[in-house]
Structure formats: structure tokens, C-alpha cells
Amino acid sequence: MLNVSQPVQLKAVPSDLKGKDFLTLADFTQNDIFFLLNQALEMKKLQKKGIPHPYLRGKVLGMIFEKPSTRTRVSFEVGMMQLGGQAIFLSSNDIQLGRGETIGDTAKVLSRYVDGIMIRTFAHDSIEQFAEHAEVPVINGLTDLHHPTQVLADLLTVYEHKGTLSGLKMCYIGDGNNNMCHSLLEGAASVGMDISVASPAGYEPNLQIFENAKRIGQSTGSQVAYTSSPEKAIEQTDIIVTDVWTSMGQEAETEERLQVFAPYQVNKELCSYAKDDFLFLHCLPAHRGEEVTPEIIDGSHSVVFDEAENRMHAQKAILKHLMEG
């Protein structure tokens, strides 16, 4: 891992992101993403040295959770504290959304109280509606379709360990119709990283997102590919990523999914097709013995806990540049 106390810079000019929503990575240019990664590295360096950086003193982030969370809640809440602001946790039972108030009315009301809103929910169109009516920046903490804050942290983790992003190859193994897969497609393509997705038939990525990632890749030199063969996807890859086979809301499909995805388990045999110095990433929580074996997720190639920590640093960069001023 690179020493985070040293200045590490991707080539980017400052981006004016004030007031912008953070809903998908496809909404941001390569320069925007590189700028945010540089800012995340800088704030990580300050935090490690114990240097205060209260860029958001007096600011308040409202956090709406319709899905439970460990990393998302703690990383945003602690991140806001380190930036000098505060965060308010709101479950769907705490606000009138849970009692039938419209998304638009909730967005308008909360905009009068807070300086930014982070939402972790199910349907992606819900967060799009919220952002349409809100008068403050809205951040996607996770929807069924996208998980952009996690993938920004993934890119940060890869950059720290590899010292570059463009020219690397990433593969995603598992359920392609998955929020992590979708945001990885957009993120990898945006930074010039090749990405290959392997999933069973019937579990392919969202076609619109996949085709958009290919279009982004045409401008950055990224190759975006899909295959049903995990061995083909993982061949000579630098980064291996997987996720749970059964996401929240899919519990009724668990037994079927265990059978369908069994050939897509990330294990020692499958990883033998990758480069010798591959990195293994997983957004957590993980089901050891299902999508990944313990020897991989707990082995020397795994950077999952660096990845988890980097949620906070990547999100601090987002918070600062959307809410500052």
C-alpha cells in the first residue's frame, strides 16, 4: 500500500461540484472523479496525522435509511464529525415518509432544515424524485440500482495499492444485475480501467447501464465486456470484485441463488487465472463459503478492510465539495 502521508496526485483540475447531487458515477466526468479521489487522499492524510479539517463547520447532513447499514451510517456520521459538522439519522419510521407523505414534500421540508441529504433506499427512482424536489445536495448511499459512494472508495483503494487506475483490468464475478456491478461498470469505465463482468444467464447487468458504460469507455480507452464464464472474465485481471449472491429484498430467492451462483464462487482455483498480484475487493458484509472462500477474503490479496475504511475518506470528499460554502 502506498504511504498515505505522501502527496499522491491523479491528474485533475479543481471541479466545482457545489450544490450538485451524487446519484450515479455516470453523472461525473473523469476529471471530477480524479479530483474527488485526490481530495479523499488529502483528507485521509490529515486524519492520519491528527490535523483538524473542519471544512463543514456548522453544516448538518440528514441521513435517511430505508435499508439497514453498518458502514454507510458510521462512515457518513463520523466523516461529518471530522469535517466539523453533524449528521442526523432518520429511519423511515422516524419521518412522515413511513406514514404516506410524498417524497417531494419530505424533500422540500428537509431542505429547509439541513445542508445535505444522504439516502439509502430500495428503488432508484425514489432518490431521483427526492433530488428533483430537494433544494440541497442529495447523495446516494445505496439503491437497488447503484452504489456510487462504495465504488468511489473502491477506486481509492485500488489507487492506493496499485499507484494507478487507467490500464488496469477489473473483473466482477457474481450477480450482474446488482448495484455494485452497475456502479463498478460506470466507475471503471470513467477512469480508463478495463472491466469484465461474469454472471449466469438471466443475471446480466442492466442493459442500459452496461451500454452507457461502454460509451463512457470509448472516450477513456476502457474495455467493457460481459461473459458467462468466470474463468474468462478473471483471466489476467488485476482486481477481483464480488458481492453477496442474495441482496436485501431477495431473501425469498436464497436457495435458488445458492445453486445458480455456485460456479461463480471466488476461490483459490478461480483466482489462479488472475495476475499473481491481484487485489480482492468486497463491499461487505460477506458470506464466507458462499460468494468467496475464507482463504481469499482473509488472505494476502484481500484489501476489504482498507476498502471499508476508505468509505469514510471518499465520502468526506463528496460531502466537502457538495456542501461547502
Side-chain angles (χ1 to χ4, degrees):
M1 180 174 177
L2 296 180
N3 185 344
V4 296
S5 66
Q6 299 300 315
V8 181
Q9 292 286 315
L10 291 155
K11 292 183 178 179
V13 298
S15 292
D16 184 6
L17 305 178
K18 181 183 175 183
K20 189 169 182 177
D21 299 317
F22 194 87
L23 303 186
T24 76
L25 288 173
D27 298 331
F28 294 82
T29 66
Q30 182 182 88
N31 185 81
D32 292 337
I33 294 172
F34 283 175
F35 174 71
L36 287 172
L37 292 173
N38 283 335
Q39 292 294 296
L41 286 166
E42 178 64 23
M43 282 189 280
K44 183 172 184 175
K45 180 177 68 174
L46 294 174
Q47 190 262 334
K48 295 295 183 184
K49 289 184 174 182
I51 300 173
H53 43 288
Y55 298 113
L56 297 182
R57 180 179 285 121
K59 301 288 186 179
V60 178
L61 175 72
M63 305 190 303
I64 299 175
F65 285 86
E66 293 190 310
K67 283 188 174 185
S69 167
T70 299
R71 279 151 292 277
T72 300
R73 177 177 179 180
V74 176
S75 58
F76 268 107
E77 196 160 336
V78 175
M80 277 299 293
M81 291 177 184
Q82 292 184 4
L83 289 169
Q86 299 181 58
I88 300 174
F89 173 83
L90 301 166
S91 76
S92 56
N93 294 325
D94 295 325
I95 56 178
Q96 296 299 325
L97 268 178
R99 299 175 63 185
E101 183 174 56
T102 67
I103 291 174
D105 285 356
T106 301
K108 291 174 182 177
V109 169
L110 289 182
S111 296
R112 302 294 182 100
Y113 299 142
V114 301
D115 303 285
I117 300 166
M118 186 283 298
I119 306 177
R120 182 178 171 92
T121 188
F122 292 89
H124 190 74
D125 63 355
S126 294
I127 200 169
E128 290 179 328
Q129 289 182 52
F130 204 102
E132 180 182 352
H133 293 281
E135 298 175 7
V136 296
V138 175
I139 299 169
N140 181 0
L142 175 142
T143 66
D144 287 343
L145 205 60
H146 293 279
H147 201 355
T149 54
Q150 175 66 60
V151 170
L152 191 67
D154 292 358
L155 296 175
L156 178 62
T157 306
V158 171
Y159 189 70
E160 283 185 317
H161 283 266
K162 293 293 187 181
T164 188
L165 290 172
S166 61
L168 296 177
K169 179 185 176 183
M170 171 183 285
C171 73
Y172 173 88
I173 309 291
D175 185 357
N177 191 19
N178 167 283
N179 50 22
M180 277 300 300
C181 181
H182 294 154
S183 288
L184 285 165
L185 282 165
E186 294 177 346
S190 294
V191 300
M193 185 187 300
D194 294 343
I195 181 167
S196 182
V197 175
S199 65
Y203 296 89
E204 299 92 344
N206 176 286
L207 182 59
Q208 182 178 352
I209 294 171
F210 183 80
E211 292 298 327
N212 191 43
K214 289 178 70 174
R215 285 192 291 271
I216 295 171
Q218 289 173 358
S219 65
T220 62
S222 168
Q223 298 294 314
V224 178
Y226 169 81
T227 177
S228 61
S229 168
E231 292 83 5
K232 183 177 179 181
I234 208 169
E235 186 175 6
Q236 289 299 296
T237 195
D238 299 283
I239 305 109
I240 301 168
V241 191
T242 191
D243 194 5
V244 295
W245 292 340
T246 305
S247 297
M248 283 179 280
Q250 300 172 334
E251 289 80 6
E253 306 171 23
T254 299
E255 291 305 316
E256 178 184 354
R257 285 172 170 269
L258 287 175
Q259 295 179 26
V260 170
F261 287 106
Y264 293 81
Q265 183 186 71
V266 178
N267 52 38
K268 184 176 181 180
E269 180 181 359
L270 184 60
C271 291
S272 68
Y273 291 88
K275 290 183 179 178
D276 292 340
D277 61 347
F278 75 86
L279 300 177
F280 174 76
L281 278 72
H282 192 304
C283 63
L284 303 178
H287 296 162
R288 287 167 173 79
E290 291 185 15
E291 73 272 10
V292 62
T293 58
E295 65 182 337
I296 298 300
I297 193 171
D298 299 318
S300 60
H301 293 275
S302 176
V303 291
V304 298
F305 296 110
D306 291 345
E307 179 187 6
E309 177 190 345
N310 279 339
R311 284 291 302 276
M312 183 175 69
H313 304 299
Q315 289 161 187
K316 283 166 66 176
I318 296 168
L319 292 165
K320 177 183 185 293
H321 290 285
L322 268 57
M323 294 171 59
E324 191 177 32

